[in-house]
Amino acid sequence: MAGAVVAPAQESPRPITLTAESSVAAALPTVAVAVETAIEAKSARLTFTLSRPVEAKAFLLERPDRVIVDLPEVNFQLPPDAGRQRRGLVSSFRYGLFAPGRSRIVIDLAEPALVARAASTEDGAVASLTIELTRTDRATYRKAALKPTAEPAEAPAAAPPSAVPVDAAAAAKPLIVLDPGHGGVDPGASGPGGVVEKDVVFAFAQRLRNKLEATGRYRILMTRDTDTFISLGRRVRIARDAKADLFVSIHADTLSDNPDVRGATVYTGSDFASDAEAARLADKENRADQIAGVEAQEDAEDVVGILLDLTKRETRAFSTDFARKLVASLQSAVKLNKNPHRSAGFQVLKAPDVPSILLELGYLSSAKDADLLTSESWRDRSTEALTAAIDRYFSTRLAGQPVAPVSP
């Protein structure tokens, strides 16, 4: 649940005379260049050094306990490991673009705490954003979290990020939606040297898009064209609203307790997980909205669609057909996981009318996989294999050949 926390009034800004040069600077996003964390027994303070002051709105979420601070767009130029170490009341924190023109800071709490202050100040040429937290008891925290917020925690709806051609010739081509996982305030998994999942999968999706478009046989839509957060439900809605013929969600996993596990894995949606590893990953990926400070909401239209059992079964059959073709194609190009085709209840694979798969490129917890996933030659090989699998899949579909049914 969410609750608003009123921050003290901001200090009056000093008068500024706008010139042509300063007008251009004002149009650019604020830049965060440093962050300091001060911890005491019953309090914590996060101070972000900014290029100019910003307006901050803070509220609380429970289960798990989080402080959400919404801001205008901020370009966070901070060290890769900023916010990852637990200190006092703060278990960790993350930051990034939440929606066009809006950024967000999400603070995971180790103990219940209230926001005593979330305000920006300016001292000469230096501006800062200070977030002060004070420890509290569970009852007080819950009461604060139950208060309604001035704005919904979900990012405002936006048009799909990529334009899809609508002329007759283009409309005859299959539409493929590529979904680079995570983004913005949700970085996903992390690997050695500061590499993060959201960047790895976005670079891969861009390469794949270029290869597919170069064939002239497909229309391509990306769920995100920038480093921004997109909720799980919206990713599915983008594909359904566009009447996509195939949805490919791209991720890169991590296993902190087993760095020797390697290889790509293809997942399809199912009501029950095929194995414990698939269940673990689905649970992890399904928490993406929670990580970004968004409370999951069930889409009534999706629920009605899922009840159309025949459509869902046919869609799963097509999804499984593509997954098998993809595993066969990847086999000669990249290292696969020992069990390369698995299934589980991924939220992002729940469109009842769009064949969908989730591709885990590899494990960022493996130094070998991390090196490969950032390698140009590996991306070329793997995107070529994906393109070949897509060609084989649609050659069957377009020829009207039946797909062998699979058990529900």
Side-chain angles (χ1 to χ4, degrees), residues 323-403:
R324 290 169 178 164
K325 286 179 168 61
L326 180 53
V327 168
S329 186
L330 289 172
Q331 205 159 21
S332 60
V334 302
K335 179 175 177 56
L336 294 177
N337 187 270
K338 64 180 181 180
N339 184 6
H341 180 199
R342 306 177 187 225
S343 60
F346 292 90
Q347 291 292 330
V348 80
L349 300 183
K350 289 199 171 181
D353 48 0
V354 181
S356 307
I357 65 101
L358 185 147
L359 172 61
E360 288 284 347
L361 300 175
Y363 291 82
L364 292 177
S365 47
S366 161
K368 290 182 179 178
D369 271 7
D371 285 343
L372 288 173
L373 267 55
T374 55
S375 158
E376 294 294 324
S377 60
W378 185 90
R379 286 175 183 160
D380 270 335
R381 291 197 311 275
S382 52
T383 52
E384 284 287 354
L386 247 169
T387 301
I390 289 170
D391 284 342
R392 283 195 287 273
Y393 171 74
F394 280 109
S395 68
T396 302
R397 290 289 304 271
L398 298 177
Q401 298 177 21
V403 174

Side-chain angles (χ1 to χ4, degrees), residues 94-323:
R94 52 198 167 275
Y95 40 81
L97 197 62
F98 180 65
R102 289 176 56 187
S103 290
R104 171 169 283 190
I105 299 168
V106 180
I107 304 170
D108 298 316
L109 296 175
E111 303 176 60
L114 301 178
V115 180
R117 180 171 180 250
S120 194
T121 58
E122 186 176 19
D123 183 9
V126 178
S128 63
L129 167 67
T130 302
I131 304 167
E132 294 182 355
L133 310 176
T134 56
R135 182 188 294 168
T136 190
D137 58 79
R138 172 57 57 189
T140 303
Y141 183 89
R142 179 164 295 162
K143 184 177 179 180
L146 285 171
K147 294 179 182 178
T149 57
E151 296 181 4
E154 168 71 282
S162 302
V164 178
V166 293
D167 60 275
K173 300 175 182 178
L175 172 61
I176 301 170
V177 172
L178 302 181
D179 174 45
H182 308 279
V185 69
D186 172 21
S190 59
V195 62
V196 291
E197 181 179 3
K198 66 175 182 177
D199 297 332
V200 169
V201 300
F202 185 67
F204 184 92
Q206 287 181 308
R207 181 71 59 90
L208 179 58
R209 176 188 60 189
N210 294 341
K211 274 198 166 59
L212 290 170
E213 287 179 339
T215 69
R217 294 188 288 271
Y218 309 106
R219 293 174 293 149
I220 307 302
L221 178 64
M222 299 265 283
T223 56
R224 64 180 181 96
D225 280 330
T226 58
D227 180 19
T228 189
F229 170 77
I230 307 290
S231 70
L232 298 174
R234 190 177 305 166
R235 293 171 191 267
V236 175
R237 289 195 296 273
I238 287 172
R240 296 194 68 196
D241 290 348
K243 295 179 169 54
D245 297 288
L246 182 65
F247 177 88
V248 179
S249 192
I250 304 166
H251 293 258
D253 198 9
T254 185
L255 282 174
S256 57
D257 58 344
N258 197 344
D260 295 327
V261 176
R262 295 185 56 206
T265 311
V266 181
Y267 290 88
T268 47
S270 65
D271 296 329
F272 302 98
S274 59
D275 55 82
E277 171 60 18
R280 177 201 67 81
L281 182 66
D283 181 64
K284 175 183 173 183
E285 296 294 353
N286 290 346
R287 291 199 301 268
D289 288 357
Q290 182 184 96
I291 287 170
V294 173
E295 292 186 288
Q297 297 180 347
E298 197 169 44
D299 192 319
E301 291 186 4
D302 287 347
V303 172
V304 172
I306 290 172
L307 295 177
L308 301 176
D309 191 53
L310 291 178
T311 300
K312 187 170 84 169
R313 288 190 184 193
E314 182 183 46
T315 299
R316 285 188 175 176
F318 284 127
S319 300
T320 299
D321 178 55
F322 175 61

Side-chain angles (χ1 to χ4, degrees), residues 47-86:
T47 304
F48 293 81
T49 302
L50 308 175
S51 59
R52 61 172 176 263
V54 294
E55 181 181 357
K57 297 179 180 178
F59 59 94
L60 304 177
L61 291 176
E62 196 177 25
R63 296 189 302 271
D65 297 342
R66 288 155 290 162
V67 174
I68 312 299
V69 183
D70 280 336
L71 310 165
E73 185 171 346
V74 174
N75 181 2
F76 289 93
Q77 296 292 327
L78 304 178
D81 60 346
R84 293 184 185 174
Q85 292 183 345
R86 174 169 178 166

